[in-house]
Amino acid sequence: MSCCTGTISAPHDLSRKIDADNKRLLNCTAVDVNQLWPLKYQWAWEHYINGCANNWLPSEVSMQKDIELWKSDTLSDAERLVIKRNLGFFSTGESLVGNNIVLAIFRHITNPEARQYLLRQAYEEAVHTHTFHYICESLALDGREVFNMYHEVDSIAGKDEFVMRLTRRVLEPDFTTATPEGIGEFIKNLVGFYVIMEGIFFYSGFVMILSLHRRNLMTGIGEQFQYILRDESIHLNFGIDLINAIKEENPHVWRADLQAEIVQMILDAVEYEVQYAESCLPDGILGLNKGLFREYVQYIADRRLERIGLPLHFGSSNPFKWMSETIDLGKEKNFFETRVTEYQSGGLLVW
Ligand code: FE
Ligand code: MN
């Protein structure tokens, strides 16, 4: 009886006992994917619990100050461009991530605790997409323009096409994780979405919007980006744990040629991201210019390479030290305002 694609085994079949050791992430045929207990991968369950502790909705954040500021003539054209481009990128980027989870990743993952997290993450991506709808509505922006930038703005289209190719590959009818090549392709999809999309492509945008927030500009959007960043940091951590565990389960796949391909993907991603930052900041704004972003994106890429066991490439340092303070909630006590912290349990406020 094959169970791992989701087939439900007959309830009277009592002879089957779950052995946690057999709960493989890919190509599990020995264990029923519908039975969460007993856990094999504690990390997957922990990411799920941490995600659940971070519930929030964009509509809980007041947009009143943002609306007044947006209507006034306080913001420069350069600042407006930064805001609009980032809304344009994230508004559809979140959907690409959600669709890839549901259509490409979920069906191939045969471990129930990892699936449990994927269900949680897919919901969070829906909340993130909701956020951009809410922002457009609040500021009375032309939503068609914002949500269509991924077709119309080259630097956004470039990043999105880069990851959409990886989704298409897994969706091809003959795709399978039954061969080492297929597992390699699947790992490339995970790297493309977790390490590159959520781990690199989102980060220039986080810096730009949070930098405006630090200057007390568009603080509603800034607060929403803080919540998204908090969610994304768990997505990234789950993805890295998933990639590393699949590598361990399939050591024959993690060969030098696959590693070289993945390094090249990350180097290409850095170029896409630097171009994107340049297109958002052609003339720079206070505290931000395109040169700093090359250094920052390289610094971030090194951190990601390190976490999946690949050698560092750039050796750049972090020009935005305040970003790591923003990520570390302990150092910025007012990072989250009252409403959402109220349904946080204190112990979970540390990322
Ligand atoms: Fe997201
Ligand atoms: Mn995400």
Side-chain angles (χ1 to χ4, degrees):
M1 183 185 321
S2 162
C3 54
C4 292
T5 49
T7 316
I8 299 168
S9 44
H12 56 266
D13 181 3
L14 301 176
S15 61
R16 297 167 48 82
K17 283 246 176 67
I18 298 287
D19 177 356
D21 289 346
N22 290 331
K23 294 175 75 183
R24 292 174 59 87
L25 288 160
L26 292 179
N27 304 312
C28 171
T29 53
V31 168
D32 184 344
V33 78
N34 297 303
Q35 296 192 31
L36 176 66
W37 192 282
L39 300 176
K40 175 175 183 174
Y41 288 113
Q42 199 63 40
W43 51 262
W45 184 248
E46 275 166 22
H47 292 313
Y48 170 76
I49 295 295
N50 290 337
C52 292
N54 287 345
N55 279 324
W56 70 285
L57 283 174
S59 45
E60 294 165 328
V61 177
S62 167
M63 292 295 287
Q64 203 47 49
K65 277 179 69 188
D66 295 46
I67 294 166
E68 284 161 22
L69 183 62
W70 191 256
K71 282 188 185 153
S72 75
D73 52 13
T74 311
L75 293 170
S76 66
D77 288 345
E79 286 160 346
R80 284 176 190 274
L81 180 70
V82 165
I83 294 161
K84 279 192 159 185
R85 284 272 153 103
N86 281 296
L87 296 178
F89 169 65
F90 281 90
S91 61
T92 42
E94 302 287 1
S95 292
L96 298 186
V97 176
N99 288 331
N100 188 68
I101 290 170
V102 172
L103 300 172
I105 299 178
F106 193 86
R107 61 191 301 249
H108 295 289
I109 293 291
T110 53
N111 170 282
E113 53 270 29
R115 280 190 166 189
Q116 181 83 1
Y117 183 78
L118 289 169
L119 292 171
R120 170 78 208 177
Q121 188 192 342
Y123 166 70
E124 290 174 9
E125 302 306 353
V127 170
H128 298 173
T129 303
H130 175 180
T131 305
F132 295 94
H133 185 275
Y134 177 70
I135 292 171
C136 286
E137 216 170 31
S138 304
L139 300 181
L141 299 177
D142 179 354
R144 278 169 309 185
E145 182 197 339
V146 171
F147 281 78
N148 207 38
M149 279 188 204
Y150 87 126
H151 291 308
E152 292 171 6
V153 175
D154 287 348
S155 64
I156 298 177
K159 296 207 288 185
D160 287 349
E161 184 49 40
F162 184 85
V163 293
M164 281 154 74
R165 269 200 302 270
L166 298 167
T167 302
R168 282 196 295 268
R169 215 170 290 169
V170 173
L171 294 184
E172 281 166 12
D174 58 344
F175 178 83
T176 171
T177 55
T179 62
E181 295 70 37
I183 295 174
E185 289 300 320
F186 190 72
I187 292 174
K188 279 161 44 184
N189 178 290
L190 296 177
V191 169
F193 276 87
Y194 284 103
V195 176
I196 292 175
M197 186 68 158
E198 299 187 288
I200 296 175
F201 287 172
F202 280 14
Y203 273 75
S204 300
F206 289 145
V207 169
M208 291 181 218
I209 298 295
L210 295 181
S211 162
L212 291 171
H213 184 248
R214 280 160 61 86
R215 293 168 51 206
N216 220 14
L217 299 174
M218 303 307 276
T219 50
I221 295 180
E223 204 180 317
Q224 286 157 342
F225 266 68
Q226 288 177 329
Y227 291 127
I228 291 177
L229 171 56
R230 183 176 61 173
D231 293 342
E232 295 304 340
S233 74
I234 301 179
H235 301 176
L236 174 63
N237 286 331
F238 169 82
I240 283 170
D241 285 338
L242 181 63
I243 290 163
N244 287 332
I246 290 174
K247 279 162 48 184
E248 262 175 56
E249 275 187 4
N250 304 278
H252 59 294
V253 172
W254 191 242
R255 296 181 347 188
D257 51 345
L258 180 61
Q259 292 181 35
E261 250 186 283
I262 287 174
V263 168
Q264 192 55 53
M265 280 168 64
I266 293 175
L267 301 188
D268 292 346
V270 166
E271 287 314 310
Y272 279 113
E273 187 61 1
V274 170
Q275 279 171 30
Y276 170 77
E278 287 175 353
S279 89
C280 294
L281 288 161
D283 307 309
I285 61 173
L286 188 61
L288 301 180
N289 63 60
K290 30 192 189 180
L292 293 174
F293 275 92
R294 178 168 288 280
E295 215 186 327
Y296 181 68
V297 175
Q298 291 176 345
Y299 167 79
I300 290 287
D302 270 350
R303 304 284 77 72
R304 308 303 181 238
L305 285 164
E306 201 170 23
R307 300 256 333 254
I308 55 171
L310 294 170
L312 304 193
H313 186 84
F314 298 102
S316 302
S317 59
N318 181 3
F320 304 121
K321 295 260 167 21
W322 56 267
M323 269 296 283
S324 35
E325 284 160 28
T326 302
I327 292 170
D328 182 357
L329 290 182
K331 288 185 189 154
E332 216 158 292
K333 289 214 172 78
N334 295 325
F335 185 81
F336 291 103
E337 303 206 339
T338 47
R339 292 257 344 240
V340 176
T341 38
E342 276 164 13
Y343 47 76
Q344 293 279 316
S345 55
L348 290 162
L349 279 169
V350 179
W351 290 359

